[in-house]
Structures are given as structure tokens and as C-alpha cells.
Amino acid sequence: MAHRQQVQPLASGSGPGSALDNHEPDQPHCVQKGGVPLKRRLRFTHWAEHLLDLLFPPCCAGCASSGSLLCPACLRAIARLQEQRCARCALPCRGTDCRRCRFSSSSLFALQAVALYEEPLRTCIQYLKYRGITRLAQPLGSMLAACYRRYHLRADLVIAVPLHAERERLRGYNHARLLADVCADELGLPCAHPLLQRVRATAAQAGLSSSERRQNVVGAFQCQPQRSALPLSGSTILLIDDVCTTGATLEACTTALLQRGAGRVQALVLAIPG
């Protein structure tokens, strides 16, 4: 009989913390190896998961109640960002951009986030990244799509922040890519993940200062237009990741994409620090 992914609640203060990490390359137009379109693959997975849920009811990642991976109560508890925020860094400000970004040399055109890195979203992200509860990508990716619509973002291509090949091999998947696939499917946008590669393994960003984080990812990413049939030149790219702390990783990705001809780059993440 099939084995189900079960969510065990994290004890307060335990778990892997907020360490940021950022498969083979997929085929163009969100088509996986074998020629199966992403949308059809996601629909098949959805029905297969639904059937398994009848046999092995999942537990909520937020409260451990039985019935769903993220119950309605915990979904409501993830407070969406409300106050006016800077369009470039998502931090609170009184205008369209904060003073820091007004005088910043950042190449990132815009950044938006769903919520603050607080419970129950924090535990959901940790389960997705470190516990292998990949099904959480569905509700979390839907949140990203809703945020995209809420802020009236516009993009031509969706790209997940890549993991280094060795890190992805050890983990078995890239959590950001799972989120991006769900988000792109709901928005009807094409994915172009092969365009961006992490070519240098980096130390974990947690515990590093802002300047150390920036230095840590310098030259870590490379844009390779030849790896995708989707056009990069002049395109608006939507970068997807789980958490943005200082923006160093997103900035490094943006630099790599702009250097190879992208028109502009904006980012969408699940959470930013409180």
C-alpha cells in the first residue's frame, strides 16, 4: 500500500531555522522530460493526491489537525501584508519606494511578498524545504499567484531561484521550482527554469551580514539563453523564491539575467522578515 507524507508538528523553537538555500533541466514551455505538459502533469498529480487523501488523510502543517496539509484556519492565520510597502524591497514606506531604494543601485525592478516570515507560514516553508513535504507547494504556490494578481504584476517568463546541482541532488528537488511551477500554472505563464543556473556552490546565508551575503553569491549564478527555446531578450522575468532576507540572492540572479539580455526582473517570494 502506498506510503503517505505525514506532517509532524515542530516543537516551538526547533527545526532547521530560517537558513536560506536556495532534476535535470526541464524542457521549454514547462514541458518535462518525455513531453508531458506541466498543466497536464499537475492535474494528474492533483487527482492522484486526492485519491490518496481518502486513504491516508494528511495533517495540517500549521496545527497538525487532520484533513488537509494546510487547514482553512491556518490559511486565514497567514496574514497578508497590508500596510503600504516599497515596490522594490517590500518594506513598509509612505511612498511608492523607500528612501533606501530611492538611492540604491539595485538592478531588481520590483519585489513583492505574500506575508511576514512568521507562524504558521514559517513552519510550512520549513516543511517544504527540509521535511520533503512537497505537496505544500500547491497551497503555497497558489498564494504566490494570488499575490501576483493583487499587486498587478506583469511578466513574460517565470524562473525559480536555482539550487546548486549537488544541493538539489542531495535534497531531491528544488522547493523554489515547485512553488514556481504551481504559480505559473495558475497564472498561465511559461516557465524558463533552464535559463538560470547556480554554477558555484555557496555557503548558507544564515548568520552572515548583509555585505557577507552579497559577497557570498557574487558570480554564483549564470544565465544560459541557449538552454531554453523561450526568448530572453527584452522579456520581463518573474523570479520565485521562498524567503527574501536581504535580497542578495535575488540581486545576484537579476544581474545574471540582465547581463544576457532580459528586459527587467521582478521577484515574488512567500515571506520577508518581520
Side-chain angles (χ1 to χ4, degrees), residues 7 9 58-71 74 127:
V7 176
C59 294
C60 175
C63 65
S65 62
S66 179
S68 63
L69 281 167
L70 195 55
C71 72
C74 286
Y127 277 140

Side-chain angles (χ1 to χ4, degrees), residues 43-57:
R43 286 175 179 169
F44 174 79
T45 301
H46 171 76
W47 284 109
E49 298 282 9
H50 178 71
L51 291 174
L52 286 174
D53 283 347
L54 298 177
L55 297 173
F56 306 94

Side-chain angles (χ1 to χ4, degrees), residues 14-270:
S14 68
S18 59
L20 298 184
D21 301 316
N22 284 327
H23 268 56
E24 303 173 7
D26 62 356
Q27 303 302 312
H29 302 282
C30 287
V31 176
Q32 69 169 4
K33 197 171 184 179
V36 180
L38 173 65
K39 183 169 292 188
R40 187 184 306 167
R41 176 161 48 96
L42 290 176
R43 286 175 179 169
F44 174 79
T45 301
H46 171 76
W47 284 109
E49 298 282 9
H50 178 71
L51 291 174
L52 286 174
D53 283 347
L54 298 177
L55 297 173
F56 306 94
C59 294
C60 175
C63 65
S65 62
S66 179
S68 63
L69 281 167
L70 195 55
C71 72
C74 286
L75 276 171
R76 291 192 297 270
I78 299 175
R80 308 310 193 261
L81 300 180
Q82 298 295 335
E83 65 265 40
Q84 188 172 4
R85 292 180 174 265
C86 175
R88 294 190 66 184
C89 70
L91 294 177
C93 73
R94 295 187 177 182
T96 56
D97 54 357
C98 66
R99 180 177 177 83
R100 184 185 69 174
C101 288
R102 204 171 300 148
F103 300 100
S104 170
S105 59
S106 171
S107 302
L108 188 63
F109 178 76
L111 166 68
Q112 294 297 345
V114 173
L116 298 179
Y117 191 59
E118 298 174 348
E119 296 299 346
L121 181 58
R122 175 166 48 200
T123 294
C124 291
I125 292 173
Q126 291 176 0
Y127 277 140
L128 172 64
K129 290 178 70 170
Y130 305 113
R131 294 286 191 93
I133 312 298
T134 55
R135 291 185 59 206
L136 279 168
Q138 185 62 53
L140 297 179
S142 293
M143 290 181 194
L144 289 170
C147 187
Y148 178 96
R149 297 187 184 100
R150 176 183 177 186
Y151 289 106
H152 307 289
L153 301 179
R154 293 291 180 269
D156 302 309
L157 304 173
V158 176
I159 298 177
V161 171
L163 287 175
H164 187 265
E166 181 62 17
R167 177 73 59 85
E168 186 168 341
R169 185 187 69 79
L170 292 173
R171 184 174 296 176
Y173 59 93
N174 177 2
H175 61 285
R177 182 165 173 170
L178 298 178
L179 293 168
D181 283 346
V182 173
C183 178
D185 179 62
E186 293 200 7
L187 296 173
L189 294 173
C191 300
H193 305 310
L195 283 172
L196 189 63
Q197 303 291 314
R198 188 186 286 254
V199 294
R200 180 172 64 80
T202 57
Q205 296 279 66
L208 301 181
S209 67
S210 295
S211 59
E212 289 171 335
R213 285 171 181 255
R214 287 193 295 272
Q215 186 60 38
N216 189 38
V217 292
V218 168
F221 300 94
Q222 187 177 95
C223 179
Q224 301 174 332
Q226 72 277 7
R227 294 178 63 93
S228 175
L230 296 169
L232 174 67
S233 180
S235 295
T236 296
I237 306 298
L238 179 68
L239 273 176
I240 298 289
D241 206 359
D242 59 338
V243 182
C244 173
T245 303
T246 63
T249 298
L250 295 173
E251 182 69 29
C253 291
T254 297
T255 298
L257 289 165
L258 293 177
Q259 286 176 345
R260 296 304 299 268
R264 64 181 183 181
V265 180
Q266 52 196 3
L268 185 57
V269 299
L270 284 170

